[in-house]
């Protein structure tokens, strides 16, 4: 089974775990959060198990860090919805592993009785094609939003929107890898692995 949960990416001179958004978590829950990777300039990623992160936490984190931040909502390592927010409240979203997202989001018939049987029908495959085309049509705007967000974060080089569009149409076995590549292509400094715990 793959990872399901959230990858939270933000900048701070202090560990992200010190952000007030995590104050309400008990020590046992805090112990399940761990540094996934860090990047020069104070950029950090926390890996958080399902059920801990809430959509309302992102604006709180941005306000605390005084910098843009984003979060990838990952499902079984097979797909993710990335949401970014800058300090002016500008928000963007993009799916990673679009084909998997289309299968998840394909509209089911209202009278559906057996989901497993539905997954093997021509109607299901047509619904997936339809949803895939819808999601694909959103990619140029998603990529523009991601590039503008990265610029607001102060990345040294403005990425080509076309390369971000290409990445949003690509596929990786592990969505976490695609998320890391997205941050690379948006111009954030290359990641370094966290030091092992003593």
């Amino acid at each position: 089974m793959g990872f399901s949960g959230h990858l939270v990416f933000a900048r701070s001179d202090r560990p992200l775990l010190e952000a007030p958004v995590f104050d309400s978590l008990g020590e046992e829950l805090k112990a399940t959060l761990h540094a996934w990777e860090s990047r020069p300039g104070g950029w950090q990623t926390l890996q958080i198990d399902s059920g801990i992160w809430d959509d309302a936490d992102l604006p709180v984190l941005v306000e605390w860090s005084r910098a843009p931040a984003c979060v990838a909502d990952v499902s079984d390592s097979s797909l993710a919805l990335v949401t970014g927010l800058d300090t002016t409240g500008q928000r963007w979203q993009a799916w990673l592993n679009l084909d998997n997202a289309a299968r998840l989001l394909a509209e089911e018939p209202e009278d559906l009785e057996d989901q497993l049987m539905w997954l093997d029908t021509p109607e299901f495959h047509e619904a997936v094609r339809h949803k895939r085309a819808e999601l694909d049509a959103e990619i140029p705007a998603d990529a523009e939003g991601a590039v503008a967000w990265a610029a607001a974060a102060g990345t040294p080089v403005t990425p080509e929107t076309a390369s971000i569009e290409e990445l949003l149409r690509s596929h990786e076995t592990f969505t976490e890898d695609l998320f890391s590549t997205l941050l690379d292509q948006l111009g954030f400094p290359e990641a370094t692995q966290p030091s092992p715990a003593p």
Side-chain angles (χ1 to χ4, degrees), residues 19-82:
V21 73
F22 301 118
D23 284 351
S24 62
L25 300 180
E27 288 308 310
E28 197 173 305
L29 271 182
K30 272 195 176 181
T32 68
L33 281 60
H34 63 274
W36 187 55
E37 62 183 21
S38 61
R39 294 168 182 260
W43 293 102
Q44 305 168 53
T45 302
L46 271 183
Q47 183 172 309
I48 302 173
D49 290 340
S50 282
I52 296 176
W53 183 264
D54 188 85
D55 287 344
D57 293 336
L58 187 57
V60 176
L61 183 62
V62 167
E63 186 178 352
W64 173 77
S65 67
R66 298 192 181 100
C70 74
V71 59
D73 183 354
V74 181
S75 178
D76 198 23
S77 289
S78 65
L79 63 109
L81 178 61
V82 182

Side-chain angles (χ1 to χ4, degrees), residues 19-157:
V21 73
F22 301 118
D23 284 351
S24 62
L25 300 180
E27 288 308 310
E28 197 173 305
L29 271 182
K30 272 195 176 181
T32 68
L33 281 60
H34 63 274
W36 187 55
E37 62 183 21
S38 61
R39 294 168 182 260
W43 293 102
Q44 305 168 53
T45 302
L46 271 183
Q47 183 172 309
I48 302 173
D49 290 340
S50 282
I52 296 176
W53 183 264
D54 188 85
D55 287 344
D57 293 336
L58 187 57
V60 176
L61 183 62
V62 167
E63 186 178 352
W64 173 77
S65 67
R66 298 192 181 100
C70 74
V71 59
D73 183 354
V74 181
S75 178
D76 198 23
S77 289
S78 65
L79 63 109
L81 178 61
V82 182
T83 304
L85 187 69
D86 70 18
T87 54
T88 68
Q90 285 293 104
R91 182 183 172 97
W92 64 277
Q93 285 191 311
W95 287 97
L96 300 180
N97 277 351
L98 212 59
D99 291 338
N100 293 347
R103 281 193 284 276
L104 175 76
L105 300 170
E107 196 168 329
E108 297 178 348
E110 288 181 16
D111 58 352
L112 183 66
E113 291 178 11
D114 187 333
Q115 189 170 28
L116 286 179
M117 295 283 285
W118 155 247
L119 297 178
D120 202 29
T121 63
E123 290 79 12
F124 169 72
H125 295 294
E126 180 55 37
V128 169
R129 275 194 294 276
H130 181 71
K131 179 52 72 174
R132 175 72 167 77
E134 275 183 15
L135 295 175
D136 193 82
E138 295 168 3
I139 282 180
D142 297 343
E144 276 185 27
V147 168
W149 171 82
T155 54
V157 178

Side-chain angles (χ1 to χ4, degrees), residues 164-197:
I164 302 303
E165 288 183 30
E166 187 179 334
L167 182 139
L168 294 179
R169 290 187 172 102
S170 67
H171 181 88
E172 284 284 348
T173 303
F174 295 102
T175 315
E176 300 93 315
D177 294 339
L178 205 51
F179 178 64
S180 185
T181 303
L182 174 64
L183 296 175
D184 290 344
Q185 289 200 11
L186 285 172
F188 290 94
E190 193 169 325
T192 56
Q193 292 302 314
S195 305

